Amino acid sequence: NMMTSLQRRRGGRDRACRFGFTLIELLVVIAIIALLIGILLPALGKARASARKVASASNLRQIGLSKTLYANDYKDWYPLVPGAWNTLSQVIDNQGFYGGYAGFYSLNQEGDGIDQGWIAGVYIANPGVEPIMQAYLDDYAVLTSPADDLDYHLTRTAPRLAQGVLKTPTPAGREEQVIDYNISYLYIAGFRTDEPVLVAPAPLVGDETNARDHGTDAWYGNAADRTFAGLDASEAGFYAEDDNHGKDGANFVFTDGHGEFVNGNTAATFFSGDANPQNVNAIDSDRSNLLRTID
């Protein structure tokens, strides 16, 4: 009986040893889990980035459609904010006058209540004036890309990135929340739906950069902004790592309503003097002089 009891206890210990983990086995399991995480994380990151690109493209299609609806009502002209200017050239030059692209949607840009933009009661004589896109876009949230993690509040007196206030873009739920740092896109103003001098449909709205995308400053045309964003002189016209989709490029919607992801030197693609069919100056070398990029 004593032998049987001893064997029973020894058998219990043997079973415990068989079903337990040794230190080496545990370390091997941990190493395998770490390896799997290392393999899966980049794939998950790519899937997330791809989903954000798709969602951003959907936003742009809605924005582009709203501009086409506007053009249908205004003799084929895509939106241009009105002002006391005498010539088309002056109108184009002043498209960023009312707080940049935000002025198309809001003339009372309170933003987060801390850093404000164009405020109607302060800057214009008639605070009852309505923004020109008010009747054409009622979902202000589409103005913010899910890929837009940061932006800078820039002003006319502090237009450079180094002077800007770092912000986290937030989708606007009402007109007063529409402001430069809550908008993720830029607009190229001055096109019409019927453009006989264009070889291909023109870029209308696309992902902005974090810098001031106004005129020749667009796509890091300003040297100080390039340096701040970690770009060198050869990267003027490109996107930076902190922009909506990093250095990969940007989503654009075109005047015919189609969308595509544009890689490489965006400024050169759309405005250079080469034979690129997407170049708006391909037929008329002065066409871009009556356009204004604003954000």
Side-chain angles (χ1 to χ4, degrees):
N1 290 340
M2 183 179 296
M3 181 63 68
T4 302
S5 177
L6 180 62
Q7 288 172 339
R8 189 181 298 114
R9 288 197 299 272
R10 183 179 297 159
R13 285 197 299 272
D14 290 344
R15 283 193 297 273
C17 289
R18 283 198 300 273
F19 289 104
F21 285 102
T22 67
L23 178 60
I24 293 176
E25 289 172 333
L26 186 60
L27 290 174
V28 169
V29 170
I30 292 173
I32 292 172
I33 292 174
L35 179 63
L36 290 174
I37 291 174
I39 293 172
L40 291 175
L41 276 181
L44 292 173
K46 288 180 180 179
R48 179 171 178 266
S50 179
R52 284 158 56 127
K53 284 181 183 178
V54 171
S56 179
S58 176
N59 285 357
L60 284 168
R61 281 194 293 271
Q62 293 183 64
I63 296 169
L65 177 60
S66 70
K67 285 180 167 40
T68 299
L69 293 174
Y70 178 98
N72 291 340
D73 291 337
Y74 287 90
K75 298 181 179 179
D76 299 330
W77 278 99
Y78 287 107
L80 292 173
V81 293
W85 305 301
N86 298 321
T87 66
L88 178 58
S89 179
Q90 289 176 340
V91 170
I92 297 298
D93 286 344
N94 284 287
Q95 282 305 293
F97 192 80
Y98 300 103
Y101 188 29
F104 286 69
Y105 301 94
S106 175
L107 293 175
N108 194 23
Q109 301 160 21
E110 297 176 1
D112 59 8
I114 301 172
D115 293 292
Q116 300 181 335
W118 186 277
I119 305 297
V122 177
Y123 292 105
I124 61 176
N126 182 6
V129 170
E130 294 182 354
I132 61 171
M133 290 301 295
Q134 187 177 71
Y136 298 92
L137 186 74
D138 55 9
D139 182 9
Y140 296 121
V142 301
L143 297 171
T144 307
S145 169
D148 196 359
D149 295 324
L150 61 90
D151 202 353
Y152 291 84
H153 178 48
L154 306 173
T155 66
R156 290 180 184 173
T157 57
R160 303 276 71 89
L161 272 178
Q163 302 168 317
V165 180
L166 184 62
K167 292 288 186 179
T168 300
T170 304
R174 51 191 173 85
E175 181 187 328
E176 291 77 12
Q177 293 172 332
V178 176
I179 192 170
D180 59 339
Y181 50 81
N182 286 339
I183 295 183
S184 306
Y185 307 109
L186 57 79
Y187 173 49
I188 303 176
F191 284 117
R192 300 184 70 173
T193 56
D194 182 17
E195 289 270 359
V197 299
L198 297 180
V199 176
L204 193 63
V205 189
D207 286 295
E208 66 174 6
T209 74
N210 286 331
R212 188 173 185 264
D213 290 310
H214 282 214
T216 56
D217 279 348
W219 298 291
Y220 299 104
N222 178 271
D225 287 340
R226 280 198 305 276
T227 300
F228 188 90
L231 303 177
D232 59 36
S234 68
E235 294 175 292
F238 290 79
Y239 285 85
E241 194 60 48
D242 285 339
D243 292 327
N244 297 351
H245 306 293
K247 291 187 174 183
D248 288 346
N251 280 311
F252 274 85
V253 65
F254 292 75
T255 51
D256 66 344
H258 90 278
E260 65 180 82
F261 197 82
V262 178
N263 305 106
N265 190 321
T266 307
T269 298
F270 296 144
F271 302 110
S272 71
D274 59 23
N276 178 8
Q278 287 186 305
N279 171 23
V280 301
N281 296 319
I283 294 178
D284 181 355
S285 60
D286 293 326
R287 182 63 188 94
S288 62
N289 290 336
L290 287 177
L291 300 173
R292 176 64 61 173
T293 303
I294 57 173
D295 66 357

